[in-house]
Structures are given as C-alpha cells and as structure tokens.
Amino acid sequence: MFRGTKIVATLGPASNDLSTLERMISAGVNVVRLNFSHGTADDHIARAALARQAAENVGRTVGILADLQGPKIRVGKFADGAIQLAKGDRFILDAQCELGNQERVGLDYKNLPRDVQTGAVLLLDDGRIVLDVERVDGDEIHTVVRVGGKLSNNKGINQQGGGLSAPALTAKDKQDLKTAVALAADYIAVSFPKSGDDMREARNLVAEANGHALLVAKIERTEAITNLTDILLASDGIMVARGDLAVEVGDAAVPALQKRMIREARLHNKFAITATQMMESMITAPIPTRAEVSDVANAVLDGTDAVMLSAESAAGQYPVETVEAMARVCAEAEKSYVNSLDEELLNREQSQIDQSIAMAALFTAQHIGVKAIAALTQSGSTTQWMSRVDSGVPIYAVTPEESTRRKVSIFRDVFPLKTGAIPANREAALAQAERALLEHGAVQRGDLLLMTIGEPLGKPGGTNTMLIVRVGEYSR
C-alpha cells in the first residue's frame, strides 16, 4: 500500500530490543528518534546501532533523529516528592531554594526571576497548574494559584505569551550534539529556538564537529512563530511541537498555526514533522481514539512530511500496533488529499536548474500518467524539491550513498533505493537504475517511467536532464 507520509518513532524501554524494532520498521517506521532528554550518550549510541541493525535485517532504510533536550525550565525537587496546591494559595518560586515544601520550590533556571514581571502568568506541568505573579522580590517570584493541582518534582514552567530568555542550546545540548554527530545522526532537532540565530549557532557547532546532519527547528515558543521565516531559512526542516507551543500560545491557536507552519515549510523547500500526543491513548490501549485518527489524518491533509510518536513507541504497551495504526490512517488520508499541483507550480519561482527539472518532472509525471519517478542522485536535493509539491506519483531516490538514502527517508513521497556506484556512462547508469526499480517491484516492464539525471554524472546537485522511457528500454 502506497504511503507517502513518513512515520517517526521515539525509541525507549518499549522498543529497546531487536525483535520489536524489526517489527516496528516492517510496520512502517521510516525514522527513529533518540530523545536526549533521557539516557546517557552510551544509551543513544547503542540504540542507534540497534536501529540500524534492525533496518538492515528487514531490508529497509531508516533515518536517525537526535532530539536535543533544550532549556526545559523546571521547578526543583520537593522534600516529600510532591505537594497539592489549591486555588488562592500563595506560592513562591525561589531560585535559592534547595528542597521545596508547601510554601516554595526551587528553580533549575536561576534567571527566571529576572524574566518575569508582576502580572505575568506562569503555567506549570504543561498548563495543568496556573500561577499569577503577584511580585518579584530578588530571587523569589511570589505568586497566587489560579488553577491548582498536584505539583511534583521537576515539572516544566512556561510563561503565557512567551518571553523567557533561556538560550536554545545549553551546555548539555552542545555536548549531546557532539554525541549525535559521533553516532552519525541524520537529523538533529534543536529545542526551543527563538530565531534563526539559534539554528545558525547549531549549524556552526555541527560543522565544527565534522557532522553533516540536517537541522530541525522545534517550533514551541511564541517567539518562534514571530520569527518563523528566519528560522525556516536557517534550518533544513521544522517540527510542529504542539505540546509546549500550546501552553505558550493557547491550545485553540495551535491547529491554525500547524497549517501555517507546514505550508510555509513546503514553500521554503523545508520538511515538516508534526508531533505530540498523536496516538496518546495507545500508550495503554490497542486501538486509537477517533479523535486521534482525525488528528493524524488532518496532519497528512495539511501536507506534513512526517507524523511522530513519542511515549506511544518509547514506553507504551503497543508500540508495533501503534505504528500499524498510524500507517493505516496516513495511507487512507492520502487518498483524499486534494492535488493542486498545477496551481502550486504556477506560484513558484525556480532559481536553480535542479529545482526546475524537479518541477518539470512532477508536472509531466502527473499529466502523462507515469508509474514512478526515478531520480539518480548523489545528494538527494532533487528529490527534496520534488517532495515539496504533491503529484501522487512515488519518487525513488536512486543512489549508492547510504547517508543520502537515510537523509531522504523523511521527505514525503520519496523512497530511498540502493544501487551500485553510478557508472560513468549515461546509458549504463540508466540501465542500472531501471534494474533496481524492477527488482524492488516499483515498476514492471512496459510501464512509463520518468527519470532525472545529472550530466556530467556523479556531481552533487547537478541534475539537469529529464527522460521519459518505457521500462525495459535500457535494461534489456
């Protein structure tokens, strides 16, 4: 069953053995996520190796996403582990407090008292507890509880409307970034960026570590919405991180923002991942709720490249069943996707040769009914351009480069296909690509096939030729 939308699955205790990972990948996982908020460097390196072994065992290509923790601003620990707050209680967030009690709690981010002012609204534990700031006195933030509840160790803090100054890349993130480069992560996600400068700093750090990972900006701050274009231009992709974003901007604003972010990403030739609570009930249930099915389907219809599982695949009771359910929903939703290729192509300006070839290939493929598009590629850039506009035709990235095959794993409608070193002779290269597609079952003899190639051969980003052939023309 053709499914262009990709699935990202977070690894954790529930998916930490080879057999389970093999079943998850067979069920539809395209990218695995390593959550650097938990575990050690050795844990992540071992999980990356395990995922690659599982992918090899089932004959699939799987990318690896390293997700940095970022400056998650949290309360400290309580002497008794937790307290109960009631509406109207006075409560102090104290940067100097070591162990909390019913009256106050410490802060892991010591500059928080300098970021907030009287009248600010602080949201704790993903908005479950709401505090109104009455005054700030030195290192103490004096608040009145508007919405109470149980508050336990290390719960997160957001400010309604944003405005917290914590840097996107902490000392821990910079060290974790080096680990991500060492395990050859294909994508690195930066948490809580506020501007393109945060992403440019991350790119410089990746380059200094001799890494080549694509950078993903997690959009979860109010400031990131304001600076979305700047962040997109400095990134390779974005993650619509709906959890913290909803706390800052309000849950009702998120659906429209999701549509806007995905649309802007596609226009700027960037990929988009939609994340947070997509199949949350399947942590403990074998089937999703109808609301979750609609949520995943709507992300597909919005044009997202990938949908992401978090605790569902990392700690849930049904990791394989969750992937299977998500794959079914994506495939079914794609049948209803409204194709507006002609309109989208008319509104795009092409400034590069490979981009122009990519757009021409999509237009031609749809209008003459080709079975597949085969892009002979070194870097994968042509297939990325193709994936920004939906044509309803599968795109095969035919490449000998393993890193490129993993990189394109997250692009919508693009499927990596391994081939040998591209021959110096064009006819031999096309014949080799045809054989690979036939062996993969992507086409049959006699099918119409559109192929793109760059001449001279083997030059990254050099795609400049499009051909339409009958399968078997080169691979007799």
PDB file of all heavy atoms in Angstrom, residues 156-189:
ATOM      1  N   GLY A 156       7.767  21.165  34.317  1.00  0.00           N
ATOM      2  CA  GLY A 156       8.163  22.280  33.472  1.00  0.00           C
ATOM      3  C   GLY A 156       7.400  23.559  33.776  1.00  0.00           C
ATOM      4  O   GLY A 156       6.294  23.546  34.326  1.00  0.00           O
ATOM      5  N   ILE A 157       8.026  24.691  33.398  1.00  0.00           N
ATOM      6  CA  ILE A 157       7.435  26.026  33.569  1.00  0.00           C
ATOM      7  C   ILE A 157       7.422  26.731  32.215  1.00  0.00           C
ATOM      8  O   ILE A 157       8.444  26.781  31.518  1.00  0.00           O
ATOM      9  CB  ILE A 157       8.242  26.886  34.561  1.00  0.00           C
ATOM     10  CG1 ILE A 157       8.416  26.173  35.905  1.00  0.00           C
ATOM     11  CG2 ILE A 157       7.589  28.240  34.754  1.00  0.00           C
ATOM     12  CD1 ILE A 157       9.360  26.893  36.854  1.00  0.00           C
ATOM     13  N   ASN A 158       6.276  27.292  31.841  1.00  0.00           N
ATOM     14  CA  ASN A 158       6.177  28.171  30.678  1.00  0.00           C
ATOM     15  C   ASN A 158       5.565  29.487  31.127  1.00  0.00           C
ATOM     16  O   ASN A 158       4.843  29.536  32.117  1.00  0.00           O
ATOM     17  CB  ASN A 158       5.283  27.564  29.593  1.00  0.00           C
ATOM     18  CG  ASN A 158       5.867  26.306  28.994  1.00  0.00           C
ATOM     19  OD1 ASN A 158       5.716  25.224  29.540  1.00  0.00           O
ATOM     20  ND2 ASN A 158       6.523  26.440  27.854  1.00  0.00           N
ATOM     21  N   GLN A 159       5.854  30.538  30.359  1.00  0.00           N
ATOM     22  CA  GLN A 159       5.193  31.816  30.599  1.00  0.00           C
ATOM     23  C   GLN A 159       4.177  32.042  29.493  1.00  0.00           C
ATOM     24  O   GLN A 159       4.510  31.916  28.301  1.00  0.00           O
ATOM     25  CB  GLN A 159       6.194  32.971  30.624  1.00  0.00           C
ATOM     26  CG  GLN A 159       5.528  34.321  30.871  1.00  0.00           C
ATOM     27  CD  GLN A 159       6.526  35.435  31.132  1.00  0.00           C
ATOM     28  OE1 GLN A 159       6.429  36.161  32.099  1.00  0.00           O
ATOM     29  NE2 GLN A 159       7.507  35.584  30.265  1.00  0.00           N
ATOM     30  N   GLN A 160       2.953  32.324  29.866  1.00  0.00           N
ATOM     31  CA  GLN A 160       1.932  32.577  28.858  1.00  0.00           C
ATOM     32  C   GLN A 160       2.360  33.753  27.983  1.00  0.00           C
ATOM     33  O   GLN A 160       2.731  34.811  28.470  1.00  0.00           O
ATOM     34  CB  GLN A 160       0.608  32.906  29.555  1.00  0.00           C
ATOM     35  CG  GLN A 160      -0.589  32.898  28.624  1.00  0.00           C
ATOM     36  CD  GLN A 160      -1.880  33.064  29.414  1.00  0.00           C
ATOM     37  OE1 GLN A 160      -2.223  34.171  29.844  1.00  0.00           O
ATOM     38  NE2 GLN A 160      -2.585  31.973  29.628  1.00  0.00           N
ATOM     39  N   GLY A 161       2.365  33.518  26.678  1.00  0.00           N
ATOM     40  CA  GLY A 161       2.803  34.552  25.748  1.00  0.00           C
ATOM     41  C   GLY A 161       4.292  34.559  25.470  1.00  0.00           C
ATOM     42  O   GLY A 161       4.787  35.371  24.683  1.00  0.00           O
ATOM     43  N   GLY A 162       5.038  33.643  26.112  1.00  0.00           N
ATOM     44  CA  GLY A 162       6.478  33.548  25.874  1.00  0.00           C
ATOM     45  C   GLY A 162       7.262  34.615  26.619  1.00  0.00           C
ATOM     46  O   GLY A 162       6.769  35.226  27.562  1.00  0.00           O
ATOM     47  N   GLY A 163       8.507  34.823  26.183  1.00  0.00           N
ATOM     48  CA  GLY A 163       9.319  35.882  26.768  1.00  0.00           C
ATOM     49  C   GLY A 163      10.424  35.411  27.695  1.00  0.00           C
ATOM     50  O   GLY A 163      11.148  36.242  28.253  1.00  0.00           O
ATOM     51  N   LEU A 164      10.598  34.099  27.875  1.00  0.00           N
ATOM     52  CA  LEU A 164      11.689  33.615  28.720  1.00  0.00           C
ATOM     53  C   LEU A 164      12.988  33.631  27.929  1.00  0.00           C
ATOM     54  O   LEU A 164      13.027  33.290  26.746  1.00  0.00           O
ATOM     55  CB  LEU A 164      11.378  32.211  29.247  1.00  0.00           C
ATOM     56  CG  LEU A 164      10.097  32.104  30.086  1.00  0.00           C
ATOM     57  CD1 LEU A 164       9.937  30.695  30.628  1.00  0.00           C
ATOM     58  CD2 LEU A 164      10.106  33.116  31.233  1.00  0.00           C
ATOM     59  N   SER A 165      14.078  34.021  28.586  1.00  0.00           N
ATOM     60  CA  SER A 165      15.324  34.311  27.871  1.00  0.00           C
ATOM     61  C   SER A 165      16.300  33.146  27.787  1.00  0.00           C
ATOM     62  O   SER A 165      17.391  33.297  27.269  1.00  0.00           O
ATOM     63  CB  SER A 165      16.038  35.497  28.544  1.00  0.00           C
ATOM     64  OG  SER A 165      16.439  35.150  29.864  1.00  0.00           O
ATOM     65  N   ALA A 166      15.946  31.981  28.295  1.00  0.00           N
ATOM     66  CA  ALA A 166      16.882  30.853  28.307  1.00  0.00           C
ATOM     67  C   ALA A 166      17.385  30.562  26.896  1.00  0.00           C
ATOM     68  O   ALA A 166      16.599  30.534  25.943  1.00  0.00           O
ATOM     69  CB  ALA A 166      16.200  29.615  28.888  1.00  0.00           C
ATOM     70  N   PRO A 167      18.690  30.350  26.716  1.00  0.00           N
ATOM     71  CA  PRO A 167      19.237  30.084  25.382  1.00  0.00           C
ATOM     72  C   PRO A 167      18.760  28.745  24.846  1.00  0.00           C
ATOM     73  O   PRO A 167      18.495  27.809  25.613  1.00  0.00           O
ATOM     74  CB  PRO A 167      20.754  30.080  25.619  1.00  0.00           C
ATOM     75  CG  PRO A 167      20.904  29.690  27.058  1.00  0.00           C
ATOM     76  CD  PRO A 167      19.727  30.300  27.765  1.00  0.00           C
ATOM     77  N   ALA A 168      18.648  28.628  23.512  1.00  0.00           N
ATOM     78  CA  ALA A 168      18.163  27.384  22.911  1.00  0.00           C
ATOM     79  C   ALA A 168      19.137  26.238  23.132  1.00  0.00           C
ATOM     80  O   ALA A 168      18.730  25.087  23.300  1.00  0.00           O
ATOM     81  CB  ALA A 168      17.920  27.592  21.415  1.00  0.00           C
ATOM     82  N   LEU A 169      20.431  26.534  23.113  1.00  0.00           N
ATOM     83  CA  LEU A 169      21.450  25.494  23.247  1.00  0.00           C
ATOM     84  C   LEU A 169      22.151  25.618  24.596  1.00  0.00           C
ATOM     85  O   LEU A 169      22.900  26.567  24.838  1.00  0.00           O
ATOM     86  CB  LEU A 169      22.470  25.586  22.114  1.00  0.00           C
ATOM     87  CG  LEU A 169      21.933  25.192  20.727  1.00  0.00           C
ATOM     88  CD1 LEU A 169      22.848  25.722  19.633  1.00  0.00           C
ATOM     89  CD2 LEU A 169      21.782  23.692  20.617  1.00  0.00           C
ATOM     90  N   THR A 170      21.898  24.681  25.473  1.00  0.00           N
ATOM     91  CA  THR A 170      22.544  24.658  26.783  1.00  0.00           C
ATOM     92  C   THR A 170      23.891  23.945  26.675  1.00  0.00           C
ATOM     93  O   THR A 170      24.226  23.361  25.637  1.00  0.00           O
ATOM     94  CB  THR A 170      21.666  23.913  27.793  1.00  0.00           C
ATOM     95  OG1 THR A 170      21.572  22.528  27.397  1.00  0.00           O
ATOM     96  CG2 THR A 170      20.267  24.507  27.849  1.00  0.00           C
ATOM     97  N   ALA A 171      24.656  23.961  27.761  1.00  0.00           N
ATOM     98  CA  ALA A 171      25.937  23.245  27.783  1.00  0.00           C
ATOM     99  C   ALA A 171      25.710  21.760  27.530  1.00  0.00           C
ATOM    100  O   ALA A 171      26.487  21.107  26.805  1.00  0.00           O
ATOM    101  CB  ALA A 171      26.636  23.459  29.123  1.00  0.00           C
ATOM    102  N   LYS A 172      24.641  21.208  28.103  1.00  0.00           N
ATOM    103  CA  LYS A 172      24.311  19.796  27.868  1.00  0.00           C
ATOM    104  C   LYS A 172      24.006  19.549  26.393  1.00  0.00           C
ATOM    105  O   LYS A 172      24.459  18.553  25.807  1.00  0.00           O
ATOM    106  CB  LYS A 172      23.106  19.390  28.719  1.00  0.00           C
ATOM    107  CG  LYS A 172      22.655  17.936  28.511  1.00  0.00           C
ATOM    108  CD  LYS A 172      21.397  17.632  29.310  1.00  0.00           C
ATOM    109  CE  LYS A 172      20.992  16.171  29.204  1.00  0.00           C
ATOM    110  NZ  LYS A 172      20.764  15.700  27.833  1.00  0.00           N
ATOM    111  N   ASP A 173      23.248  20.454  25.774  1.00  0.00           N
ATOM    112  CA  ASP A 173      22.909  20.293  24.361  1.00  0.00           C
ATOM    113  C   ASP A 173      24.159  20.273  23.486  1.00  0.00           C
ATOM    114  O   ASP A 173      24.255  19.494  22.531  1.00  0.00           O
ATOM    115  CB  ASP A 173      21.994  21.428  23.898  1.00  0.00           C
ATOM    116  CG  ASP A 173      20.627  21.369  24.541  1.00  0.00           C
ATOM    117  OD1 ASP A 173      20.156  20.260  24.839  1.00  0.00           O
ATOM    118  OD2 ASP A 173      20.038  22.442  24.757  1.00  0.00           O
ATOM    119  N   LYS A 174      25.113  21.136  23.807  1.00  0.00           N
ATOM    120  CA  LYS A 174      26.333  21.208  22.995  1.00  0.00           C
ATOM    121  C   LYS A 174      27.133  19.911  23.093  1.00  0.00           C
ATOM    122  O   LYS A 174      27.721  19.457  22.108  1.00  0.00           O
ATOM    123  CB  LYS A 174      27.170  22.413  23.418  1.00  0.00           C
ATOM    124  CG  LYS A 174      26.485  23.744  23.080  1.00  0.00           C
ATOM    125  CD  LYS A 174      27.245  24.948  23.611  1.00  0.00           C
ATOM    126  CE  LYS A 174      26.495  26.240  23.300  1.00  0.00           C
ATOM    127  NZ  LYS A 174      27.185  27.436  23.822  1.00  0.00           N
ATOM    128  N   GLN A 175      27.138  19.317  24.272  1.00  0.00           N
ATOM    129  CA  GLN A 175      27.814  18.029  24.424  1.00  0.00           C
ATOM    130  C   GLN A 175      27.026  16.928  23.722  1.00  0.00           C
ATOM    131  O   GLN A 175      27.597  16.059  23.047  1.00  0.00           O
ATOM    132  CB  GLN A 175      27.985  17.695  25.910  1.00  0.00           C
ATOM    133  CG  GLN A 175      28.836  16.461  26.179  1.00  0.00           C
ATOM    134  CD  GLN A 175      30.239  16.581  25.596  1.00  0.00           C
ATOM    135  OE1 GLN A 175      30.920  17.598  25.769  1.00  0.00           O
ATOM    136  NE2 GLN A 175      30.679  15.550  24.896  1.00  0.00           N
ATOM    137  N   ASP A 176      25.706  16.962  23.862  1.00  0.00           N
ATOM    138  CA  ASP A 176      24.864  15.960  23.207  1.00  0.00           C
ATOM    139  C   ASP A 176      24.953  16.069  21.687  1.00  0.00           C
ATOM    140  O   ASP A 176      24.857  15.054  20.974  1.00  0.00           O
ATOM    141  CB  ASP A 176      23.408  16.125  23.650  1.00  0.00           C
ATOM    142  CG  ASP A 176      23.169  15.628  25.063  1.00  0.00           C
ATOM    143  OD1 ASP A 176      24.020  14.885  25.585  1.00  0.00           O
ATOM    144  OD2 ASP A 176      22.124  15.992  25.649  1.00  0.00           O
ATOM    145  N   LEU A 177      25.119  17.296  21.195  1.00  0.00           N
ATOM    146  CA  LEU A 177      25.267  17.480  19.750  1.00  0.00           C
ATOM    147  C   LEU A 177      26.498  16.743  19.232  1.00  0.00           C
ATOM    148  O   LEU A 177      26.465  16.123  18.160  1.00  0.00           O
ATOM    149  CB  LEU A 177      25.333  18.977  19.434  1.00  0.00           C
ATOM    150  CG  LEU A 177      25.332  19.380  17.968  1.00  0.00           C
ATOM    151  CD1 LEU A 177      24.586  20.701  17.785  1.00  0.00           C
ATOM    152  CD2 LEU A 177      26.745  19.536  17.435  1.00  0.00           C
ATOM    153  N   LYS A 178      27.570  16.772  20.006  1.00  0.00           N
ATOM    154  CA  LYS A 178      28.775  16.036  19.609  1.00  0.00           C
ATOM    155  C   LYS A 178      28.506  14.536  19.594  1.00  0.00           C
ATOM    156  O   LYS A 178      28.998  13.811  18.713  1.00  0.00           O
ATOM    157  CB  LYS A 178      29.922  16.355  20.578  1.00  0.00           C
ATOM    158  CG  LYS A 178      30.412  17.791  20.495  1.00  0.00           C
ATOM    159  CD  LYS A 178      31.510  18.069  21.518  1.00  0.00           C
ATOM    160  CE  LYS A 178      31.969  19.509  21.471  1.00  0.00           C
ATOM    161  NZ  LYS A 178      32.993  19.804  22.506  1.00  0.00           N
ATOM    162  N   THR A 179      27.720  14.059  20.562  1.00  0.00           N
ATOM    163  CA  THR A 179      27.343  12.640  20.570  1.00  0.00           C
ATOM    164  C   THR A 179      26.520  12.298  19.334  1.00  0.00           C
ATOM    165  O   THR A 179      26.715  11.250  18.709  1.00  0.00           O
ATOM    166  CB  THR A 179      26.541  12.308  21.848  1.00  0.00           C
ATOM    167  OG1 THR A 179      27.339  12.588  22.991  1.00  0.00           O
ATOM    168  CG2 THR A 179      26.117  10.849  21.868  1.00  0.00           C
ATOM    169  N   ALA A 180      25.590  13.183  18.984  1.00  0.00           N
ATOM    170  CA  ALA A 180      24.747  12.957  17.812  1.00  0.00           C
ATOM    171  C   ALA A 180      25.588  12.863  16.537  1.00  0.00           C
ATOM    172  O   ALA A 180      25.334  12.014  15.668  1.00  0.00           O
ATOM    173  CB  ALA A 180      23.716  14.075  17.684  1.00  0.00           C
ATOM    174  N   VAL A 181      26.587  13.724  16.433  1.00  0.00           N
ATOM    175  CA  VAL A 181      27.486  13.668  15.269  1.00  0.00           C
ATOM    176  C   VAL A 181      28.292  12.368  15.290  1.00  0.00           C
ATOM    177  O   VAL A 181      28.469  11.709  14.261  1.00  0.00           O
ATOM    178  CB  VAL A 181      28.411  14.897  15.245  1.00  0.00           C
ATOM    179  CG1 VAL A 181      29.510  14.725  14.204  1.00  0.00           C
ATOM    180  CG2 VAL A 181      27.608  16.166  14.967  1.00  0.00           C
ATOM    181  N   ALA A 182      28.751  11.966  16.468  1.00  0.00           N
ATOM    182  CA  ALA A 182      29.565  10.756  16.587  1.00  0.00           C
ATOM    183  C   ALA A 182      28.793   9.508  16.178  1.00  0.00           C
ATOM    184  O   ALA A 182      29.368   8.579  15.584  1.00  0.00           O
ATOM    185  CB  ALA A 182      30.078  10.609  18.023  1.00  0.00           C
ATOM    186  N   LEU A 183      27.497   9.448  16.464  1.00  0.00           N
ATOM    187  CA  LEU A 183      26.713   8.272  16.072  1.00  0.00           C
ATOM    188  C   LEU A 183      26.129   8.414  14.674  1.00  0.00           C
ATOM    189  O   LEU A 183      25.337   7.587  14.223  1.00  0.00           O
ATOM    190  CB  LEU A 183      25.609   7.974  17.103  1.00  0.00           C
ATOM    191  CG  LEU A 183      24.521   9.011  17.392  1.00  0.00           C
ATOM    192  CD1 LEU A 183      23.408   9.014  16.355  1.00  0.00           C
ATOM    193  CD2 LEU A 183      23.932   8.752  18.773  1.00  0.00           C
ATOM    194  N   ALA A 184      26.540   9.474  13.967  1.00  0.00           N
ATOM    195  CA  ALA A 184      26.132   9.739  12.575  1.00  0.00           C
ATOM    196  C   ALA A 184      24.629   9.921  12.448  1.00  0.00           C
ATOM    197  O   ALA A 184      23.983   9.356  11.562  1.00  0.00           O
ATOM    198  CB  ALA A 184      26.627   8.629  11.647  1.00  0.00           C
ATOM    199  N   ALA A 185      24.040  10.716  13.348  1.00  0.00           N
ATOM    200  CA  ALA A 185      22.625  11.054  13.236  1.00  0.00           C
ATOM    201  C   ALA A 185      22.367  11.759  11.912  1.00  0.00           C
ATOM    202  O   ALA A 185      23.189  12.558  11.446  1.00  0.00           O
ATOM    203  CB  ALA A 185      22.195  11.937  14.404  1.00  0.00           C
ATOM    204  N   ASP A 186      21.238  11.458  11.308  1.00  0.00           N
ATOM    205  CA  ASP A 186      20.901  12.060  10.016  1.00  0.00           C
ATOM    206  C   ASP A 186      20.225  13.412  10.192  1.00  0.00           C
ATOM    207  O   ASP A 186      20.310  14.270   9.312  1.00  0.00           O
ATOM    208  CB  ASP A 186      19.981  11.112   9.245  1.00  0.00           C
ATOM    209  CG  ASP A 186      20.616   9.745   9.093  1.00  0.00           C
ATOM    210  OD1 ASP A 186      21.604   9.644   8.356  1.00  0.00           O
ATOM    211  OD2 ASP A 186      20.149   8.791   9.750  1.00  0.00           O
ATOM    212  N   TYR A 187      19.553  13.596  11.326  1.00  0.00           N
ATOM    213  CA  TYR A 187      18.875  14.850  11.635  1.00  0.00           C
ATOM    214  C   TYR A 187      19.113  15.164  13.107  1.00  0.00           C
ATOM    215  O   TYR A 187      19.123  14.262  13.957  1.00  0.00           O
ATOM    216  CB  TYR A 187      17.359  14.757  11.397  1.00  0.00           C
ATOM    217  CG  TYR A 187      16.949  13.863  10.261  1.00  0.00           C
ATOM    218  CD1 TYR A 187      16.616  12.529  10.498  1.00  0.00           C
ATOM    219  CD2 TYR A 187      16.885  14.323   8.950  1.00  0.00           C
ATOM    220  CE1 TYR A 187      16.248  11.679   9.466  1.00  0.00           C
ATOM    221  CE2 TYR A 187      16.515  13.487   7.909  1.00  0.00           C
ATOM    222  CZ  TYR A 187      16.192  12.167   8.173  1.00  0.00           C
ATOM    223  OH  TYR A 187      15.833  11.330   7.148  1.00  0.00           O
ATOM    224  N   ILE A 188      19.293  16.446  13.408  1.00  0.00           N
ATOM    225  CA  ILE A 188      19.426  16.896  14.799  1.00  0.00           C
ATOM    226  C   ILE A 188      18.363  17.961  15.039  1.00  0.00           C
ATOM    227  O   ILE A 188      18.285  18.952  14.310  1.00  0.00           O
ATOM    228  CB  ILE A 188      20.824  17.469  15.082  1.00  0.00           C
ATOM    229  CG1 ILE A 188      21.896  16.370  14.929  1.00  0.00           C
ATOM    230  CG2 ILE A 188      20.890  18.066  16.490  1.00  0.00           C
ATOM    231  CD1 ILE A 188      23.321  16.870  15.081  1.00  0.00           C
ATOM    232  N   ALA A 189      17.518  17.725  16.059  1.00  0.00           N
ATOM    233  CA  ALA A 189      16.446  18.661  16.382  1.00  0.00           C
ATOM    234  C   ALA A 189      16.872  19.579  17.519  1.00  0.00           C
ATOM    235  O   ALA A 189      17.368  19.116  18.545  1.00  0.00           O
ATOM    236  CB  ALA A 189      15.180  17.900  16.766  1.00  0.00           C
TER     237      ALA A 189
END
